[in-house]
Amino acid sequence: MNPFLRYFFGGLLLLAAACDGQSEALPTQMSLDAISTNSAATTAAEAVVAANAAATSVALVALNQPTALPPTWTASAPPTEPPTQVVVPSTTPVPSDSGTIYYIFNGDSIALLTADGLHEELILVGGAPADLTLSPDGQFLAYVADGANGTREVYITTLDGSVVQAVSCAGLAKVRLPAWSVDSSRLAFAGSESVNGALGIYTTGIAGSRQCPTGNGQRLLSATAITTLSSLTWSGDGKYVLFSSDSIYGVDVGTGTLFPPLTRPYGFGPDFNVVRRPDNNNVYYLKTDQDDQTGAKVGVLSQFDPATIGDSFPLQELPGTRLAANWMRFSRDGRYLVASSNSGSVSVQDMRQGTASTVALGSQFPPQAVPSPDGELVAYLNAGSDDSSVAQIWLVGRDGKDAKQLTSHNEGTISDLNWGGNTG
């Protein structure tokens, strides 16, 4: 039996067991208190956290096994529009060293899929995970999940799901968008005491999380009057946490100062999807604009240098390519920018050459495209070649060739694609 199907039907058995009053535990938690300077000293219950650029690491120690909610399996709704392009799956093999894709399945599980399509499994089940994100050093996944007494907290897990640790203890009803610092030692996130309340911007360390908040330095950087935000990131130098909510905003990590809006929208829609470019300190985002000929909304790729944050606002914005995009991600080295739109297109821009090409069209689901670590491949969502009602993960070369369907799920939803590995 396909490994993923084995886990899938296992999830159904968990659900049946829950109906009988039984529960299934998440994998063992881990301790991030003990700092070790020997990065090679790992065991089956240990992993390494890069605490700083000096290669300090954190030993993971097995703890108790908390109870988790059972999974729920719900088929995704069929798309409302027919496909505009028929894609024939490629038979070209994907290199075996192309890494691993991580994603949230069905809103209640975290899954991994090797990029060659040969192995797929659920690594964590339950807790309603959201906002999954891979650390820059490729060692951990961070996500938001259920905490105690109806709260939501930030967790991290090893890449196989064998050990899990809560790294926040804010006790909030709403927690969103954990974002890794460049050195993978800290996370920033947004949270509110009520589901619809104003959000605060928080930071928390990885080491010492068992003694949260004193051990890992969890702190509220700044309260805001904002109730929704669409993205959150760090500046490359670690001085600022930046987020989007109509405009782009910034918080000084050292002082907690919340600055006035750093950008000024054009008037056709918000500035959104703020991301850090890995190979420099500049911050990139999309500005909503309107095409003069068609009237369609487009995103203008824009950037600013956080070093210019000072007494004059808004900052000088540097607009660039006009993209039909709602989502974008950089390759690990910052050379390639992958952008996708909710209407189903995926494009790749070479940031060094200044060229761009469309690699997929007509996806029946928002593609949520992400590049492989080396930027040579792109993973995205589209309907399966034999079933238009269920989203599947596809791969395509950055040249738009050799599209390949990787998954063949019978039901369920896919979101929060991340791609890790040693390439690039």
Side-chain angles (χ1 to χ4, degrees):
M1 181 182 291
N2 180 286
F4 185 84
L5 292 180
R6 182 172 65 251
Y7 275 80
F8 179 82
F9 288 115
L12 291 178
L13 293 175
L14 286 177
L15 182 59
C19 294
D20 292 331
Q22 301 176 3
S23 61
E24 180 72 11
L26 281 172
T28 305
Q29 284 191 319
M30 57 189 170
S31 167
L32 296 168
D33 298 327
I35 302 297
S36 168
T37 57
N38 178 8
S39 60
T42 58
T43 67
E46 295 177 298
V48 175
V49 177
N52 51 43
T56 303
S57 63
V58 179
L60 307 180
V61 181
L63 295 178
N64 60 313
Q65 297 185 358
T67 300
L69 295 176
T72 55
W73 308 99
T74 307
S76 57
T80 56
E81 298 182 0
T84 59
Q85 181 188 55
V86 176
V87 180
V88 178
S90 168
T91 57
T92 303
V94 176
S96 60
D97 62 351
S98 294
T100 303
I101 298 167
Y102 303 91
Y103 64 93
I104 292 178
F105 179 72
N106 228 26
D108 203 64
S109 304
I110 297 176
L112 67 77
L113 169 70
T114 55
D116 57 14
L118 298 179
H119 180 72
E120 186 176 29
E121 66 175 284
L122 301 181
I123 60 173
L124 288 174
V125 176
D131 298 335
L132 184 70
T133 179
L134 181 70
S135 61
D137 65 6
Q139 297 295 312
F140 291 97
L141 294 163
Y143 58 98
V144 177
D146 291 337
N149 302 317
T151 63
R152 299 282 280 175
E153 299 290 357
V154 178
Y155 294 79
I156 65 171
T157 178
T158 49
L159 301 184
D160 60 359
S162 61
V163 282
V164 177
Q165 178 66 52
V167 296
S168 75
C169 53
L172 302 172
K174 181 179 182 180
V175 173
R176 292 292 319 282
L177 300 172
W180 291 96
S181 60
V182 175
D183 65 359
S184 302
S185 68
R186 291 182 292 172
L187 286 156
F189 62 93
S192 172
E193 293 182 357
S194 62
V195 173
N196 298 314
L199 294 163
I201 306 300
Y202 294 77
T203 58
T204 187
I206 302 306
S209 57
R210 285 186 68 197
Q211 283 77 44
C212 181
T214 56
N216 62 344
Q218 176 186 287
R219 57 188 280 242
L220 171 63
L221 286 186
S222 179
T224 80
I226 294 167
T227 57
T228 60
L229 51 80
S230 60
S231 58
L232 189 149
T233 192
W234 293 70
S235 61
D237 57 14
K239 292 182 178 179
Y240 305 104
V241 172
L242 305 150
F243 60 94
S244 58
S245 179
D246 189 38
S247 300
I248 308 300
Y249 291 83
V251 180
D252 187 305
V253 173
T255 66
T257 301
L258 175 64
F259 297 106
L262 305 180
T263 65
R264 179 178 294 161
Y266 286 155
F268 298 105
D271 295 347
F272 63 102
N273 199 195
V274 58
V275 296
R276 178 183 66 239
R277 182 172 171 178
D279 58 339
N280 64 39
N281 195 45
N282 280 13
V283 171
Y284 285 72
Y285 55 98
L286 294 169
K287 295 184 72 68
T288 306
D289 199 1
Q290 182 171 287
D291 188 283
D292 292 336
Q293 296 182 341
T294 66
K297 297 291 180 65
V298 296
V300 178
L301 180 63
S302 301
Q303 61 177 300
F304 64 77
D305 183 353
T308 64
I309 294 176
D311 298 327
S312 179
F313 302 96
L315 306 181
Q316 179 183 8
E317 301 178 73
L318 303 175
T321 310
R322 294 169 68 86
L323 301 167
N326 302 90
W327 170 271
M328 62 180 182
R329 287 293 181 270
F330 281 101
S331 61
R332 182 177 293 173
D333 62 0
R335 175 167 183 174
Y336 299 108
L337 176 70
V338 172
S340 54
S341 71
N342 290 342
S343 61
S345 66
V346 180
S347 62
V348 177
Q349 179 165 320
D350 187 325
M351 303 299 288
R352 298 178 189 172
Q353 300 293 332
T355 58
S357 60
T358 299
V359 300
L361 283 171
S363 172
Q364 297 174 67
F365 297 85
Q368 303 178 46
V370 295
S372 60
D374 61 2
E376 294 300 316
L377 297 168
V378 177
Y380 65 100
L381 300 184
N382 195 1
S385 57
D386 58 351
D387 186 349
S388 64
S389 67
V390 180
Q392 308 291 351
I393 297 176
W394 288 69
L395 291 191
V396 67
R398 65 174 177 82
D399 57 2
K401 298 179 180 179
D402 297 326
K404 179 182 181 69
Q405 181 181 332
L406 286 190
T407 60
S408 298
H409 301 167
N410 294 323
E411 61 176 349
T413 59
I414 297 173
S415 67
D416 297 67
L417 296 180
N418 288 261
W419 197 331
N422 296 321
T423 55

